[in-house]
């Protein structure tokens, strides 16, 4: 492995934590003997182009500094290659890093983990999902949660997490379940009214909401969580349980396992790793060992 690695930085992640995190992460890597080159990019498209160029040029690793959005962008550059991915998770959600039991909001510790992994060969091949041509590490969300994302993205005020709290309240006032057709592995077809359907390669989204709590990054399968036709009162009762994963025991919640899932519903947008993928229908496939990650 070459000693030159690429630091892939989102300076705006976590309200500026990305910019502040880059230096201690880079210092930890340089202290371990690595030569560090930083990639920023003028926007997401330009940053991805530069990251792909670094991977094609033989960089020893691509180290994403930021939140789940930056991790998602980095996955588009390294998935399907043998270039290791390092994560310095300093964003708001950091769900992919959580799933891998990596440091969160501690860039120096994260930098040391990446350095030790690269020097000691502590690299782990984990599964990724792919939907609409986009790779994802954690969860493909659709339904109530994606409608909240849609509304939150349209709002200009307030900023931060409060925006999405208000978006949840606004969506609840007009909430009705959605008719879905779900096809599992080109076989079983489920037609149902659902509040949301989450396709989990990893267990959580939204900063620790364990919507697919038992999902395993190395089993070659998705956990598909279907929250049925809840009314508002039931949804308000069930939703807080998602932080511990105890919602899976509720009678309105079902879990299926499949390597391929097709979701069909009208007026619903799919989001993967918190990023907009596009309107349903969407087909997601689990790709075993699609990315090599630096772990501890």
């Amino acid at each position: 492995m070459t000693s030159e690695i690429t630091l892939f930085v989102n300076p705006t992640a976590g309200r500026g934590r990305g910019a502040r995190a880059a230096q201690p992460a880079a210092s930890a890597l340089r202290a371990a003997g690595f030569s560090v080159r930083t990639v920023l990019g003028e926007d997401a498209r330009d940053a991805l182009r530069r990251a792909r160029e670094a991977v094609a040029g033989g960089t020893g690793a691509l180290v994403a500094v930021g939140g789940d959005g930056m991790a998602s962008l980095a996955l588009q550059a390294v998935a399907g290659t043998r270039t290791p991915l390092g994560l310095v998770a300093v964003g708001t959600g950091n769900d992919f890093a959580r799933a891998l039991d990596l440091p969160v909001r501690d860039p120096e510790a994260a930098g040391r983990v990446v350095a030790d992994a690269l020097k000691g060969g502590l690299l782990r091949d984990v599964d990724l999902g792919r939907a609409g041509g986009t790779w994802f590490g954690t969860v493909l969300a659709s339904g109530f949660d994606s409608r909240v994302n849609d509304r939150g993205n349209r709002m200009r005020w307030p900023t931060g997490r409060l925006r999405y709290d208000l978006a949840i309240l606004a969506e609840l006032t007009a909430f009705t379940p959605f008719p879905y057709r779900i096809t599992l592995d080109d076989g079983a077809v489920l037609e149902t009214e659902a509040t949301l359907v989450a396709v989990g390669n990893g267990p959580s989204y939204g900063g620790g909401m364990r919507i697919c709590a038992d999902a395993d990054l190395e089993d070659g399968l998705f956990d598909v969580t279907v929250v049925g036709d809840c009314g508002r009162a039931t949804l308000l009762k069930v939703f807080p349980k998602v932080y511990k994963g105890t919602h899976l025991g509720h009678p309105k919640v079902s879990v299926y396992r499949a390597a391929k899932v097709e979701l069909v519903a009208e007026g619903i947008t799919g989001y993967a790793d918190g990023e907009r993928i596009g309107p349903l229908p969407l087909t997601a496939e689990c790709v075993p060992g699609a990315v090599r990650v630096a772990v501890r």
Side-chain angles (χ1 to χ4, degrees):
M1 177 187 298
T2 176
S3 64
E4 181 178 279
I5 62 177
T6 301
L7 210 62
F8 190 40
V9 181
N10 178 2
T12 65
R15 300 181 185 180
R17 281 194 296 269
R20 295 191 297 273
Q23 185 55 50
S27 295
L29 290 161
R30 290 189 178 107
F34 291 98
S35 172
V36 179
R37 172 175 173 261
T38 300
V39 167
L40 292 172
E42 296 177 3
D43 52 30
R45 179 178 292 184
D46 182 54
L48 178 56
R49 178 185 63 79
R50 292 169 186 258
R52 284 175 167 157
E53 286 176 352
V55 170
T59 187
L62 186 69
V63 182
V65 183
D68 281 331
M70 202 60 179
S72 174
L73 205 59
L75 287 178
Q76 312 315 308
V78 299
T81 76
R82 295 293 82 191
T83 301
L85 172 66
L87 294 174
V88 177
V90 293
T92 303
N94 308 309
D95 288 284
F96 196 39
R98 293 174 197 273
L100 293 162
D101 191 30
L102 294 173
V104 171
R105 296 182 186 171
D106 188 341
E108 184 178 358
R112 288 198 303 268
V113 166
V114 174
D116 290 346
L118 294 175
K119 294 185 77 170
L122 297 174
L123 302 173
R124 179 178 164 193
D125 292 339
V126 301
D127 306 341
L128 293 177
R130 197 171 195 187
T134 298
W135 297 96
F136 65 94
T138 57
V139 177
L140 171 64
S142 72
F144 176 76
D145 44 7
S146 65
R147 292 287 287 267
V148 169
N149 251 325
D150 282 339
R151 183 179 288 271
N153 289 342
R154 292 194 301 267
M155 295 168 66
R156 294 292 174 263
W157 184 92
T159 59
R161 191 172 292 275
L162 181 58
R163 174 191 301 176
Y164 291 94
D165 292 341
L166 292 179
I168 288 172
L169 292 175
E171 285 296 323
L172 277 172
T173 62
F175 173 73
T176 56
F178 314 100
Y180 272 88
R181 186 172 78 248
I182 306 166
T183 305
L184 304 172
D185 288 331
D186 295 322
V189 177
L190 175 64
E191 296 198 19
T192 186
E193 296 275 321
T195 300
L196 63 87
V197 179
V199 180
N201 181 58
S204 72
Y205 64 2
M209 293 190 288
R210 297 178 60 80
I211 188 69
C212 300
D214 296 327
D216 186 334
L217 290 172
E218 295 176 273
D219 65 356
L221 296 170
F222 294 126
D223 278 27
V224 185
T225 300
V226 180
V227 180
D229 57 343
C230 296
R232 280 191 291 271
T234 302
L235 182 58
L236 285 170
K237 183 178 180 180
V238 171
F239 205 74
K241 296 182 178 181
V242 77
Y243 286 96
K244 293 185 177 180
T246 54
H247 64 293
L248 298 182
H250 193 277
K252 287 289 187 181
V253 179
S254 302
V255 178
Y256 305 87
R257 305 188 80 222
K260 182 178 180 181
V261 183
E262 182 187 41
L263 303 179
V264 179
E266 291 288 333
I268 301 296
T269 303
Y271 283 79
D273 290 347
E275 302 297 309
R276 188 183 190 277
I277 300 297
L280 273 55
L282 284 171
T283 298
E285 295 188 63
C286 185
V287 183
V291 66
R292 179 161 289 179
V293 185
V295 294
R296 57 183 171 185

